[in-house]
Amino acid sequence: MRSPRRPLTERRNSRTRRLDRLSAREIVALIHREDAAVPAAVARVGAATARAVGMIVARLRRGGRLFLVGAGTSGRLAALEAAECPPTFGTPRSLVQAVLAGGPRAMTRSVEGAEDDSRAGMRSMRRVRSRDAVIGISASGSAPFVIGALVEARYRRRAGTVLLSCAPSARIAHMNISPLVGPEVIAGSTRLKAGTATKLVLNAITVAVMTRLGKVYENLMVDVRPTNAKLRDRARRIVRELTGKLPHAALAAARGRVKTAVVMLRRGVGAREADRILASKGGNLRGALEGK
């Protein structure tokens, strides 16, 4: 009887079979050669990634949220992406949420067996609603926790769903994004090329979504929350670059809100009127600056 075919992410890489016989320099060079193939694999799924962005933007505009679901490395990458959205784009923490197999403790330690619990994945979607979007992340495309979450989110919660994997996968979600990076340097160690590809796709999704939602003007993070010295300096630089004027007084009057300060200085109005203008344009800075 033939053994079941191994998932792409579990297969041995013919180019790395002599790994344990190489010098440190040779190992590093080999890893870098393998990593060099990742951007091309991610670029090949650009159209699928853009379709997912469109779906997510439409749902967030209707008041929905984005859930990123994963186990192990995929879950930790989900948590990293969700954690970066509030300081970068000024979003509430509820807008982009990470769901990890094994719960928050899985962020820093392995929770054995958590990824195999499909019922736990289904239960983790209880707060998901029909206007939300859910991205299930699984390098192999088959982690039961992630599959359970996607099935629950799609068929019972009626949310929009995406499966992000690095192997050909069944159509469980509304759409699949599958950058095929090939077998890993160490067979099955998907924190390597698969993890890198996953991070690149998630980067593209969150940046594109937030840009379409008006969180970026030109290539500047105009909804940045200036919560530390570095971010306060960034906020001042953004206002100065977009207005050509000293930013300190306007930022103080705007309580640190970059878009409000820019509208104040560019249109010669006070903070309250700047907020009114922005609100009339749905918070979009370009509309507030160019509209009548």
Side-chain angles (χ1 to χ4, degrees):
M1 186 171 118
R2 295 178 63 184
S3 60
R5 189 173 178 83
R6 282 179 293 178
L8 180 64
T9 53
E10 294 294 326
R11 295 178 198 169
R12 295 185 67 185
N13 188 329
S14 62
R15 295 180 295 275
T16 64
R17 285 178 180 260
R18 296 181 63 253
L19 190 67
D20 66 322
R21 300 177 65 181
L22 302 180
S23 68
R25 184 171 181 177
E26 290 169 329
I27 292 170
V28 170
L30 181 53
I31 291 170
H32 288 169
R33 284 198 298 274
E34 290 294 312
D35 287 344
V38 173
V42 170
R44 284 192 290 271
V45 298
T49 304
R51 285 193 295 272
V53 167
M55 180 272 288
I56 295 165
V57 168
R59 287 173 180 269
L60 268 55
R61 281 179 173 159
R62 297 198 299 268
R65 301 159 296 172
L66 174 59
F67 292 84
L68 306 175
V69 184
T73 296
S74 296
R76 295 178 192 107
L77 289 170
L80 177 62
E81 202 69 28
E84 291 289 351
C85 287
T88 303
F89 302 112
T91 59
R93 295 201 175 276
S94 60
L95 187 68
V96 182
Q97 300 181 36
V99 178
L100 280 71
R105 63 183 176 140
M107 187 64 193
T108 57
R109 67 187 69 181
S110 176
V111 180
E112 299 300 333
E115 73 174 70
D116 297 328
D117 192 341
S118 61
R119 290 185 179 275
M122 297 174 76
R123 290 193 299 271
S124 74
M125 295 289 99
R126 285 176 176 168
R127 64 184 184 275
V128 170
R129 301 293 178 260
S130 59
R131 61 188 175 184
D132 295 332
V134 177
I135 301 178
I137 310 166
S138 169
S140 67
S142 60
F145 181 92
V146 174
I147 300 307
L150 286 173
V151 168
E152 176 75 10
R154 179 176 182 179
Y155 294 105
R156 296 210 42 198
R157 307 294 166 173
R158 304 297 179 186
T161 54
V162 179
L163 173 59
L164 170 54
S165 66
C166 291
S169 305
R171 185 54 65 90
I172 295 159
H174 288 99
M175 54 189 77
N176 286 9
I177 302 174
S178 301
L180 304 181
V181 297
E184 299 286 3
V185 170
I186 298 174
S189 184
T190 52
R191 68 186 179 86
L192 301 175
K193 289 190 296 184
T196 301
T198 296
K199 185 67 174 78
L200 290 176
V201 172
L202 290 175
N203 283 350
I205 288 173
T206 55
V207 169
V209 165
M210 297 303 168
T211 300
R212 296 292 294 162
L213 291 175
K215 301 291 185 181
V216 176
Y217 178 82
E218 295 181 351
N219 60 352
L220 298 171
M221 54 174 76
V222 289
D223 266 328
V224 62
R225 288 184 180 176
T227 54
N228 60 36
K230 179 184 74 173
L231 296 180
R232 286 191 291 273
D233 181 63
R234 182 176 296 160
R236 288 191 290 267
R237 283 188 283 106
I238 290 171
V239 174
R240 186 166 55 246
E241 183 161 345
L242 292 180
T243 67
K245 300 177 181 178
L246 293 175
H248 299 78
L251 274 171
R255 301 192 303 279
R257 292 169 295 159
V258 168
K259 288 196 291 194
T260 299
V262 170
V263 173
M264 290 171 62
L265 293 172
R266 287 275 291 268
R267 298 196 62 168
V269 299
R272 182 175 296 180
E273 176 64 7
D275 284 338
R276 188 198 65 77
I277 294 170
L278 280 164
S280 72
K281 301 299 180 179
N284 186 283
L285 181 57
R286 185 171 295 280
L289 295 178
E290 298 178 358
K292 299 295 184 182

